[in-house]
Amino acid sequence: MQADIVFIAISLLAAASAIALFASRRLLHAVLALTIAFMSSSLLFFYLGETFIALLQLFVFVGGLSTYLVVAVAAEAARGKFELYVFIPLAVLFVIGLSEIVINSNLSLPAPALPASFTGASIEALTVYYPVLAMLLILLFSAVIGSILIIRKFVRLVT
Amino acid sequence: MTNRNFIVIMLGIELILTASTIALVSFFDYSQSSGAGGIILLFSIWTVASVEIITLIAFYVYMKSRGFDFDVSKLSKMKW
């Protein structure tokens, strides 16, 4: 019963953050709403019993990419009257609250993890699916190179 | 509810990709598949999402520096 309530709460949080993304007038608020959507999807993975995927989602998307987005957008917003530090205590309270909910409730369902064994799945991924992995690496590499080229053009424009 | 900001549209695509990962993981949980196909598909979605954010930031900084309007209804062609 408690797990159901937590699941409904997480789902509502995800839906509300998705609506807030489009409804917000400021870009920084939209980015923060996307961060909350990433966090709630990570909590849903926890709920499904996929701890590894949930942690990956949390570290890569919430910890890495969302921070990257927030810093980039806030750097532009800081030129105006917006002050980012207002959100820091709110963010800390939010993370502590969510952690309390996750730790104090038995969120995992009696469902099996995504692959039966991560070792077997990893070996299969590196042998059978290696062209896909190579394509993904090329895609990431080309995106990084393209971004560097665009940023260099911007730096040349400024200086 | 319509938002014509280019960045918000791209963030919406990011949201769609996140929703697709939730659907994917739920499906593979339901089907109790033990292969690596689900993981590879998940990594593919994550890679596309990461690439989108990387390029989005670069475009955002570049367009902001050039003084472009982010309203997509005012964009008629791509300029370099």
Side-chain angles (χ1 to χ4, degrees), chain B residues 3-71:
Chain B
N3 202 328
R4 294 193 176 87
N5 192 320
F6 169 72
I7 305 295
V8 174
I9 291 170
M10 297 299 278
L11 293 181
I13 296 172
E14 200 68 40
L15 206 61
I16 293 168
L17 290 172
T18 307
S20 66
T21 57
I22 294 173
L24 176 76
V25 173
S26 307
F27 173 74
F28 273 90
D29 246 357
Y30 177 73
S31 67
Q32 300 189 354
S33 168
S34 60
I39 288 281
I40 291 294
L41 197 50
L42 186 67
F43 281 178
S44 306
I45 296 171
W46 276 347
T47 306
V48 172
S50 308
V51 164
E52 196 203 325
I53 288 185
I54 292 167
T55 47
L56 176 64
I57 293 291
F59 271 114
Y60 175 71
V61 172
Y62 181 72
M63 287 173 80
K64 196 86 178 174
S65 71
R66 298 293 292 261
F68 284 144
D69 201 336
F70 288 108
D71 191 348

Side-chain angles (χ1 to χ4, degrees), chain A residues 116-137:
Chain A
S117 85
F118 270 106
T119 314
S122 307
I123 291 169
E124 195 180 339
L126 289 174
T127 52
V128 180
Y129 293 101
Y130 74 92
V132 183
L133 285 178
M135 277 176 61
L136 294 180
L137 282 175

